[in-house]
Amino acid sequence: MASKLETIGTQLKSNNMEDRKKAIRDLAKCSDEGSIEMLIRALADDNEDVVATAIKALCERGDESIQGLIAALKDPSWTIRKNASKVLVRMGKKSLDPIIEAMRSDDEDVQFWAGEVLSEFGEEGLEKFLEILDKGSQSSKLCAIGALGKIGSDKAVDPLLGQLASDSWTIRKAAAEALWEIGQPAVDLLIRQLDAGNPDVQFWAIQILGEIGDDSAVTPLIGKLRDDSQNEEKKISIIKALGEIEDPSAIGELINQLGSSSWFVRRAAGEALWQIGPPAIPELISALKHDNVDVRYWCSKVLGEMQAREAIDHLVELLGDKEWSIRSGAAYALGEIGDDMAAEALMKYLEDPNEIVRKNVVIALGQIGDAKAIQSSTQALDDESEWVRRYAAETLEKLKEKKIDHQLAAGQTCLDCRAKMEDTWKFCPFCGKEVDA
């Protein structure tokens, strides 16, 4: 005759959900050895109602199920591990000490899920995590750090800042992510770390402040950026943080950094200004008249990448700059903006003495894509520079192949190749033939 557990085990395999739920309710009242394990196996059921019944039953069994549930945190089934952690959370304080012990184990699965459970206890589990930070293994510390980030308590900020000085990069990275999760409550203490004696702590503080994005960090970060003793790497990290915060009060100093002796710093400043976006446009336009060649060049580049139409007239003016790099950058920017207002002005610089300027003019006219681009590319095919001729041929080919749907409905036909064109076009985009008036 089958034992009680064998009968219940058979019911747990039934296709009928109600039979399985009844079997679980019977297990909740059963004190036979093996009943807890059967309830834990039921946590893997594919029906949510059955799982909920098993969770309730394990909670009812109380203390006697805790060790089994902790053991289940390393079960091969992710579903069982996840649901076992849910039961431990529901049990409350009675499971707290056993879970702390589990975090001290050498099993990373157990440590991870124990950390997940403890984080649900909020500040009740805080002190336990801080103990692990002080004395735990690296893997248990990582779990504790992740849980502290989820708890989000300002009481965890100072201990986590201490981990930014760890010898382990993995610990430093985890602590930085936890501080980012805590967010605004960590900002004031992070700002103080900008003056820390440990370069690693300074680096992580800068990065975290950028990711949190609180504008109260902008002024201290700008102060550090102006400090000539900062090395290139530190300046770049500060600039990136200012770009992530996106506060307009940083625009002026970022424009100053466009004149840095380091190309890498200039590039970082340009990217940060692009991140800040439209609020930077007026100051970028004003800086097009800056005495520093690099500042003028990068301002024009950023304005082009922002596609700032309000900068067109100012960029056209730069086409006449005495520095070839500025003329080249202005042509590039006008091409990026892609407005045909600039086409006529660009045509005048197809005979610029510098081949890089001529090349960028050809490309810009191709990007603008009106009829003048055909004429310019055809003209540039005879340029003395092989480089310019190559770009002209490529631009002309792209323009000829370009398919524009509304061309088919246009009312004008090229007499040479019979292609459809818009009424306002003066050149055929397919063969380059000038249209008779």
Side-chain angles (χ1 to χ4, degrees):
M1 185 175 175
S3 70
K4 183 177 182 181
L5 282 184
E6 287 174 335
T7 303
I8 292 174
T10 302
Q11 285 181 305
L12 283 173
K13 295 176 184 177
S14 169
N15 291 327
N16 186 295
M17 174 189 74
E18 293 301 329
D19 287 345
R20 300 201 301 278
K21 286 168 68 175
K22 180 181 182 303
I24 290 168
R25 287 192 293 270
D26 290 340
L27 281 172
K29 302 169 187 174
C30 179
S31 59
D32 292 5
E33 185 178 351
S35 58
I36 297 292
E37 178 60 24
M38 291 176 73
L39 284 171
I40 289 172
R41 303 322 304 168
L43 293 175
D45 197 283
D46 57 8
N47 182 279
E48 289 183 7
D49 286 345
V50 174
V51 171
T53 305
I55 289 173
K56 182 180 178 184
L58 283 162
C59 287
E60 288 173 0
R61 295 294 295 267
D63 293 348
E64 61 181 313
S65 66
I66 289 176
Q67 289 306 320
L69 287 164
I70 287 174
L73 296 178
K74 60 180 178 181
D75 193 275
S77 165
W78 182 89
T79 304
I80 287 179
R81 297 198 301 270
K82 176 68 174 174
N83 288 328
S85 72
K86 286 183 180 179
V87 180
L88 288 166
V89 170
R90 288 200 189 180
M91 285 185 169
K93 290 183 180 180
K94 68 174 79 174
S95 67
L96 194 54
D97 288 336
I99 295 167
I100 292 295
E101 278 308 307
M103 280 201 72
R104 300 184 192 280
S105 78
D106 294 327
D107 190 293
E108 292 186 5
D109 268 334
V110 173
Q111 289 173 346
F112 171 79
W113 287 105
E116 292 288 294
V117 172
L118 278 175
S119 67
E120 297 295 328
F121 283 92
E123 296 209 4
E124 287 182 46
L126 189 64
E127 291 303 319
K128 302 293 185 181
F129 283 127
L130 298 182
E131 286 176 22
I132 292 169
L133 282 188
D134 188 42
K135 300 176 182 176
S137 64
Q138 174 158 312
S139 56
S140 62
K141 280 185 178 182
L142 288 171
C143 292
I145 288 168
L148 287 170
K150 289 178 181 175
I151 292 170
S153 171
D154 57 358
K155 294 176 184 176
V157 173
D158 204 38
L160 286 169
L161 287 172
Q163 297 301 312
L164 295 179
S166 169
D167 292 335
S168 164
W169 182 89
T170 306
I171 293 288
R172 298 197 299 272
K173 174 69 171 172
E177 290 174 349
L179 286 162
W180 171 76
E181 279 194 271
I182 291 171
Q184 200 280 328
V187 169
D188 287 344
L189 285 175
L190 283 165
I191 289 172
R192 293 182 199 174
Q193 301 311 307
L194 297 176
D195 294 315
N198 186 318
D200 276 332
V201 174
Q202 287 185 16
F203 167 79
W204 287 107
I206 291 165
Q207 189 172 66
I208 300 162
L209 286 168
E211 290 171 353
I212 291 173
D214 191 290
D215 58 15
S216 65
V218 172
T219 299
L221 286 169
I222 289 174
K224 286 295 174 184
L225 188 56
R226 289 173 178 165
D227 181 353
D228 293 335
S229 68
Q230 303 288 354
N231 61 31
E232 179 184 79
E233 184 181 8
K234 187 70 65 60
K235 285 195 170 188
I236 290 171
S237 65
I238 293 170
I239 288 167
K240 287 182 177 178
L242 290 170
E244 288 174 341
I245 295 171
E246 297 183 10
D247 190 282
S249 63
I251 292 169
E253 184 55 34
L254 289 171
I255 288 175
N256 288 339
Q257 294 300 318
L258 295 176
S260 169
S261 58
S262 163
W263 181 86
F264 295 102
V265 170
R266 297 197 297 271
R267 180 183 67 175
E271 290 172 349
L273 287 160
W274 181 86
Q275 278 184 281
I276 292 173
I281 290 174
E283 289 184 60
L284 285 166
I285 290 173
S286 296
L288 291 174
K289 298 183 182 295
H290 201 282
D291 292 339
N292 186 295
V293 173
D294 287 322
V295 172
R296 296 204 302 279
Y297 171 81
W298 282 96
C299 284
S300 66
K301 180 176 174 63
V302 175
L303 286 165
E305 290 173 353
M306 285 184 179
Q307 298 186 319
R309 294 185 74 256
E310 53 267 64
I312 291 174
D313 290 342
H314 305 277
L315 290 167
V316 166
E317 189 177 337
L318 280 190
L319 290 171
D321 195 279
K322 64 181 180 180
E323 299 287 343
W324 71 264
S325 62
I326 302 301
R327 300 196 301 277
S328 171
Y332 165 85
L334 288 166
E336 289 294 299
I337 294 170
D339 194 295
D340 58 10
M341 287 171 55
E344 191 168 339
L346 283 163
M347 290 281 289
K348 297 175 184 177
Y349 292 90
L350 283 167
E351 298 180 4
D352 190 280
N354 184 280
E355 65 176 348
I356 298 176
V357 176
R358 298 197 300 276
K359 181 263 292 183
N360 275 5
V361 167
V362 169
I363 293 173
L365 284 163
Q367 287 174 298
I368 290 170
D370 77 347
K372 293 183 179 67
I374 302 295
Q375 183 182 11
S376 70
S377 298
T378 304
Q379 180 181 334
L381 289 172
D382 297 324
D383 194 280
E384 64 184 34
S385 164
E386 181 181 351
W387 197 32
V388 175
R389 293 197 300 272
R390 188 180 81 236
Y391 274 99
E394 289 176 4
T395 300
L396 188 60
E397 190 62 30
K398 286 177 183 176
L399 286 164
K400 287 180 178 180
E401 292 175 356
K402 192 174 183 181
K403 296 180 180 180
I404 305 174
D405 292 340
H406 62 259
Q407 287 179 2
L408 300 174
Q412 185 175 207
T413 303
C414 174
L415 297 176
D416 205 47
C417 70
R418 309 307 298 171
K420 294 288 186 180
M421 303 184 301
E422 291 188 27
D423 288 333
T424 56
W425 287 6
K426 303 301 182 186
F427 295 85
C428 174
F430 298 96
C431 68
K433 178 75 173 177
E434 186 172 358
V435 177
D436 295 331

